[in-house]
Structures are given as C-alpha cells and as structure tokens.
Amino acid sequence: MKRIVILISGRGSNMEAIIQARDAGCLPGAEIVAVIANRADAKGLERAAAAGIPTRVLEHKRFADRAAFDAALAECIEAFQPDLVVLAGFMRILTEAFVRRFEGRLLNIHPSLLPAFPGLHTHERALEAGVRIHGCTVHFVTPALDHGPIVIQAAVPVLDTDDATSLAARVLAQEHIVYPQAVRWFVEGRLRVVAGRVQLLDAGAPAAALCVPQPD
Ligand code: NHR
Ligand code: GAR
C-alpha cells in the first residue's frame, strides 16, 4: 500500500475529493494515513476525523520561525512513513530544507494555469488580467514557489459575468477531478520527472473507469 499524508489549512474540499475517490475504489493501493493542519480551526479536520483518518494540528504561530515549524512538520509527517505528501489548500510556504526532504513525493494543487499567476489571490488576478481561460494545476513541489513539474491541468472559461467567487467555484470543481487523478497516477507509479518535466508512463493503457467525485 502507498501511504498518503494530506496537509490542509482550511476547508479541505480537495482532501475530501481524495477521500471520496478512495471510498469509490478509485485509488486502489492507496491508504490515507493522516491529515495534518497548520490551523486548529481548519474545517477539514472534522471531515477527516469523521472519515476515520488520524488528524494532527501543528500551529505555525507557535514556532519561532519557518525553519522551526518546517522541522516539526517534517517530524510529524515522517512518523506516518508516507510515500506521498499531498498539499491540499495548504497555505504556508515551505523551506528548501523541507522540500528537499520530501522531493519527488510532494504534490500541490494551485488554483491557476501555471506558470500564470503563481502565489496568492489567483482568481482576482486572472480577472484583473482579463484572461479568457483560467484553471488549476497539480505539480510536484520544488523550493521555487509554484514552479515545480506539472502533472495535470484543467481549464475553465472566464465569463464576463464572473467575480472571484464564481470563478473560484468553477475552478474548484475541476480541482476535485484532477487532484484524485494525479494522486492515482502517483500511486500507480506512473509519474516520472525527466529534466523538470513530468512523463506519464504507459499513457496508452486503457483509461481507468472514469472516477469523478459525485456532486453533493
Ligand atoms: N512551498 C514551496 N517551497 N514550493 C511550493 O511550490 C509551494 C510551497 C508551499 C505551498 C502552495 C501554494 C499555492 O498553491 C504551496 C506551494 C501559500 C502561499 C503563501 O504566500 C503561496 C503559495 C502557496 C501557498 N503563504 C503565506 C506565507 O507567508 C501565508 C498566507 C496565509 O497564511 O494565508 O507562507 O498557491
Ligand atoms: C483550493 O482552491 C486550492 O487550489 C487553493 O486553496 C483552495 C483550498 O480549498 N490553494 C491555494 O491557494 C494554495 N495557496 P480546499 O481547502 O477546499 O481544498
């Protein structure tokens, strides 16, 4: 079994999409061994606990600096011996030392079509820039923020009537599809990074039964 640790900061809907994919049998060979939050009030913690997944809280505010928080976070993660660490709406920039420790087994979902709009407030910035296409990106995490090798992206149209809330909701629906897909590929051992780019091994294989989250 591939052991997965999920890091969250808030709502945890991407975490929930991965849990749902597991429950639907769409992540064979994957075990979600822990959910860790950097905020005690992260709503996703309740959902994880309700799903029977062990949870931990490590509040960044209690640490002197980023290095100290990241060292403690790494220890907390390592205790679960993960094969994969998934950032799902995790809102703390990670130090190079942390990223190096988990490099190659650290995924993030970012709410833009990278390399456009790295960093925060992506939906507002997409509207401001007037792009007609927006979306989300799953990537391997590297020390350079939001610049790691890209695993999968999904695009959505930007409508004239959009505000940041409506655009974020349209993107989020796609996040819930592509993140479980990326995790599945990782668990299947089908992702290889060559010269900073992701190769999907056995891409010609028959597609797995379409596993998409069901609307609430
Ligand atoms: N760390 C590294 N080294 N590389 C990446 O690619 C990372 C990362 C940590 C998080 C997620 C990322 C995103 O998808 C991510 C990718 C937080 C911030 C941020 O500025 C930026 C990008 C991302 C996550 N955080 C503020 C900070 O000072 C705090 C903001 C807050 O608490 O609300 O860390 O967008
Ligand atoms: C998602 O849109 C995710 O892409 C984004 O925050 C949201 C988290 O939602 N991540 C970032 O902005 C990282 N800086 P969730 O908690 O419901 O998964």
Side-chain angles (χ1 to χ4, degrees), residues 57-71:
V57 175
L58 212 63
E59 288 183 294
H60 62 273
K61 282 183 275 180
R62 295 179 187 269
F63 293 85
D65 52 28
R66 280 183 197 270
F69 171 66
D70 280 13

Side-chain angles (χ1 to χ4, degrees), residues 10-15 88-91 108-111 119-120 123 172 175-176:
R11 180 178 54 187
S13 71
N14 277 292
M15 169 205 78
F90 184 71
M91 296 308 291
N108 178 46
I109 189 154
H110 179 75
L120 302 177
H123 309 302
L172 191 65
E175 295 185 37
H176 296 163

Side-chain angles (χ1 to χ4, degrees), residues 6 19 33 67 69 99 135 207:
I6 303 178
I19 295 171
V33 293
F69 171 66
V99 172

Side-chain angles (χ1 to χ4, degrees), residues 5 11 27 29 32 53-54 67 82 85 91 95 99 108 142 148 169 199 210:
V5 167
R11 180 178 54 187
L27 293 176
I32 303 168
I53 299 166
V85 179
M91 296 308 291
T95 56
V99 172
N108 178 46
T142 59
Q199 293 179 354
L210 196 58

